[in-house]
């Protein structure tokens, strides 16, 4: 754990793809466009056929499933330049801008250490304001003799920062990156970009679910000061749709009914947000606006495909950075903090998500899970009265007038 290192960190070395930048979103955009070119339509429900596959395997699966009149190689060759054109649309992970600003403000030296080529790195970060200037050093895969998992890229970054290797903290999503950082003798925080893989990250000093969960003070760095009443304000985001039947896991019996929405059309949006517990406002078209606490988690359906996800991470993540990132479908479970007389299946539910509470965790018993969720409910109930959150009660999205 972080504390056992007893090391005060002087500089931070960040990985780019999968750590600061989320490439999942552009995958769906590109596939939508290419399918139209072939006279087909991208089917969100079939997104899982490319989950956990290498670029070529995914291409082969799509060619077969959509009956495309070309080979997998040809299809891959067609979409590769389309990804290059999309670099400007790659979004920063939630918490990336916050972390970079925070460290800059406190004059903590920062370096980028990426296996990508220099030109690709420069191009990708050029779309994110203030990033280039924040890094005192950028070390690219084509500037070292051996890429991650070799420690070379990290050693070079420390050298350029003028820091002892043991004074550096590495933040990484990939296994090769974690291995390289440890081999360089550095502290390593892993932020796996794929679900439920923390057991693979044993070498890391700490594994967190997302950048939102980083506690810099654990590393002797200045703490974030933006948490308020157990919640972290985030850039609000919207989701909505008809309430559908969930998994019948009997949440209602536990006193925490969750109104499931179809993820149809939302997988890209959900993939942008870390799994975890969030607070916000919920609008039910015929009833009103209510406080809501919601978990975003991994669709249980995909728990079975962990093996393919791991193999993709080991082979693909290591060698290829942006093209055909794995696509993961998430499920959202909003619990409206209000007593209703009955069910409201089929009704239009609109959500505005305004803050973050905690990562999803495992619990030793059902009682402890239910207890924690009720605690989340109390936190949300109270915090949503803060002006910075309560103002979103009037968001037009909740009334369904704006889409
Ligand atoms: P399911 O597996 O269908 O999601 P749940 O046991 O989670 O079943 O119950 C969810 C349903 O309960 C919602 O779809 C909704 O119709 C109803 N419901 C009643 N009160 C609430 C509430 N306060 N928050 C969310 N859903 C509620
Ligand atoms: N499930 C988990 O396994 N871990 C969690 O930390 C967790 N947190 C939740 C928080 C909230 C506010 C809600 C509404 C659900 C959460 N769940 C969590 C999901 C819960 O297990 C799910 O709603 C089940 O369907 C309950 O039976
Ligand atoms: Mg439910």
């Amino acid at each position: 754990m972080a504390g056992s290192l007893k090391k005060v960190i002087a500089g931070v070395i960040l990985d780019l793809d999968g750590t600061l930048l989320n490439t999942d979103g552009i995958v769906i955009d590109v596939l939508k466009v290419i399918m139209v070119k072939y006279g087909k339509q991208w089917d969100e429900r079939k997104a899982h056929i490319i989950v956990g596959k290498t670029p070529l395997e995914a291409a082969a699966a799509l060619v077969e499933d959509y009956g495309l009149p070309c080979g997998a190689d040809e299809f891959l060759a067609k979409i590769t330049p389309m990804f290059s054109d999309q670099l400007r649309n790659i979004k920063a992970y939630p918490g990336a801008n916050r972390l970079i600003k925070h460290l800059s403000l406190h004059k903590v030296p920062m370096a980028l250490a990426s296996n990508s080529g220099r030109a690709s790195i420069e191009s990708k970060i050029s779309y994110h304001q203030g990033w280039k200037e924040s890094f005192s050093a950028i070390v690219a895969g084509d500037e070292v003799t051996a890429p991650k998992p070799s420690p070379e890229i990290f050693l070079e970054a420390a050298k350029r920062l003028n820091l002892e290797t043991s004074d550096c903290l590495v933040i990484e999503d990939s296994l090769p990156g974690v291995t390289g950082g440890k081999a360089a003798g550095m502290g390593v925080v892993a932020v796996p970009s794929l679900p439920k893989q923390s057991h693979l990250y044993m070498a890391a000093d700490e594994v967190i679910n997302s950048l939102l969960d980083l506690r810099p003070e654990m590393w002797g760095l200045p703490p974030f000061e933006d948490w308020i009443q157990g919640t972290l304000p985030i850039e609000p985001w919207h989701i909505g749709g008809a309430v559908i039947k969930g998994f019948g896991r009997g949440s209602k019996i536990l006193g925490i009914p969750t109104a499931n929405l179809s993820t149809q059309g939302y997988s890209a949006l959900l993939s942008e947000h870390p799994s975890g517990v969030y607070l916000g406002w919920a609008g039910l078209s015929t009833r009103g606006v209510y406080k809501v606490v919601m978990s975003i988690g991994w669709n249980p359906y995909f728990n079975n495909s962990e093996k393919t996800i791991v193999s993709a991470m080991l082979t693909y993540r290591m060698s290829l950075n942006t093209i055909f990132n794995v696509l993961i479908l998430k499920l959202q479970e909003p619990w409206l903090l209000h007593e209703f007389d009955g069910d409201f299946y089929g009704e239009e539910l609109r959500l505005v998500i305004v803050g973050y509470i905690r990562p999803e965790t495992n619990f030793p018993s059902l009682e402890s899970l239910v207890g924690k969720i009720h605690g989340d409910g109390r936190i949300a109930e109270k915090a949503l009265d803060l002006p910075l959150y309560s103002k979103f009660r009037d968001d037009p999205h909740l009334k369904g007038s704006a889409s």
Side-chain angles (χ1 to χ4, degrees):
M1 277 319 290
S4 64
L5 264 187
K6 292 200 183 70
K7 197 73 196 148
V8 174
I9 290 300
V12 176
I13 302 177
L14 293 151
D15 170 57
L16 185 61
D17 298 297
T19 301
L20 295 175
L21 291 182
N22 178 354
T23 48
D24 292 3
I26 68 167
V27 174
I28 298 159
D29 292 346
V30 164
L31 291 178
K32 277 184 184 154
V33 170
I34 188 83
M35 288 307 173
V36 170
K37 286 193 179 152
Y38 279 102
K40 312 273 177 182
Q41 206 190 349
W42 170 246
D43 182 350
E44 193 90 42
R45 283 165 304 181
K46 286 187 184 166
H48 66 272
I49 69 167
I50 62 169
V51 170
K53 295 200 163 115
T54 65
L56 190 60
E57 286 167 352
L62 290 166
V63 164
E64 191 188 325
D65 198 85
Y66 285 83
L68 304 180
C70 62
D73 304 36
E74 194 188 324
F75 185 65
L76 190 60
K78 268 220 175 74
I79 58 178
T80 300
M82 293 173 69
F83 283 112
S84 309
D85 287 344
Q86 288 292 317
L87 295 187
R88 73 186 66 248
N89 297 324
I90 299 175
K91 292 200 175 120
Y93 270 111
N97 272 303
R98 169 180 179 248
L99 175 63
I100 290 170
K101 273 195 198 135
H102 177 74
L103 295 176
S104 291
L105 183 74
H106 293 277
K107 310 245 182 312
V108 178
M110 263 182 284
L112 261 189
S114 167
N115 267 359
S116 290
R118 182 84 192 190
S120 156
I121 297 174
E122 297 261 351
S123 168
K124 279 181 255 178
I125 66 172
S126 70
Y127 303 109
H128 298 270
Q129 225 193 337
W131 284 27
K132 192 171 163 54
E133 309 82 271
S134 297
F135 298 110
S136 312
I138 295 176
V139 188
D142 51 7
E143 294 169 346
V144 291
T145 51
K148 306 167 191 175
S150 161
E152 195 184 337
I153 217 162
F154 297 107
L155 296 173
E156 181 61 26
K159 198 163 133 197
R160 293 197 204 166
L161 288 178
N162 263 319
L163 292 174
E164 295 286 329
T165 56
S166 59
D167 290 344
C168 296
L169 176 68
V170 170
I171 304 181
E172 259 290 350
D173 74 300
S174 77
L175 220 40
V178 170
T179 307
K182 284 321 289 177
M186 300 176 179
V188 177
V189 174
V191 197
S193 48
L194 293 168
K196 298 188 198 289
Q197 300 301 332
S198 27
H199 60 283
L200 291 172
Y201 289 78
M202 297 298 274
D205 297 290
E206 192 189 2
V207 182
I208 57 177
N209 184 58
S210 79
L211 293 177
L212 300 178
D213 300 315
L214 185 73
R215 307 283 162 154
E217 64 275 21
M218 304 265 284
W219 296 92
L221 294 167
F224 284 115
E225 278 157 5
D226 47 1
W227 283 88
I228 176 160
Q229 287 184 22
T231 68
L232 177 66
I234 57 172
E235 197 56 46
W237 55 279
H238 298 158
I239 198 166
V243 175
I244 58 166
K245 280 265 177 199
F247 292 89
R249 282 183 290 183
S251 354
K252 215 180 296 178
I253 298 160
L254 303 171
I256 33 170
T258 54
N260 299 75
L261 294 176
S262 162
T263 45
Q264 175 105 44
Y266 281 113
S267 63
L269 182 63
L270 287 175
S271 85
E272 285 176 23
H273 298 280
S275 61
V277 180
Y278 293 82
L279 66 156
W281 295 98
L284 273 170
S285 43
T286 61
R287 298 169 195 254
V289 174
Y290 307 94
K291 290 172 177 172
V292 70
V293 65
M294 171 171 96
S295 80
I296 298 181
W298 304 107
N299 189 325
Y301 175 75
F302 291 108
N303 286 353
N304 301 331
S305 60
E306 263 180 58
K307 269 209 202 97
T308 46
I309 291 175
V310 175
S311 82
M313 186 164 57
L314 296 178
T315 56
Y316 152 67
R317 276 269 182 199
M318 194 184 280
S319 49
L320 284 154
N321 280 301
T322 31
I323 302 167
F324 245 117
N325 209 333
V326 270
L327 171 70
I328 309 286
L329 295 185
K330 290 197 193 113
L331 181 83
Q332 66 312 64
E333 300 214 49
W335 177 28
L336 280 59
L337 300 172
H338 181 83
E339 288 278 336
F340 294 91
D341 288 340
D343 294 339
F344 41 84
Y345 291 113
E347 284 189 38
E348 177 78 4
L349 175 64
R350 299 294 189 103
L351 301 170
V352 179
I353 306 306
V354 298
Y356 173 74
I357 299 179
R358 65 173 176 89
E360 267 197 314
T361 41
N362 279 327
F363 292 90
S365 67
L366 197 56
E367 293 78 36
S368 53
L369 170 64
V370 172
K372 187 74 178 173
I373 296 175
H374 277 105
D376 297 329
R378 287 189 294 273
I379 289 172
E381 178 78 51
K382 191 156 179 281
L384 285 163
D385 288 331
L386 292 164
L388 96 155
Y389 293 134
S390 65
K391 66 180 181 200
F392 292 105
R393 191 182 222 294
D394 302 320
D395 192 309
H397 170 77
L398 294 170
K399 313 242 153 53
S401 51
S403 94

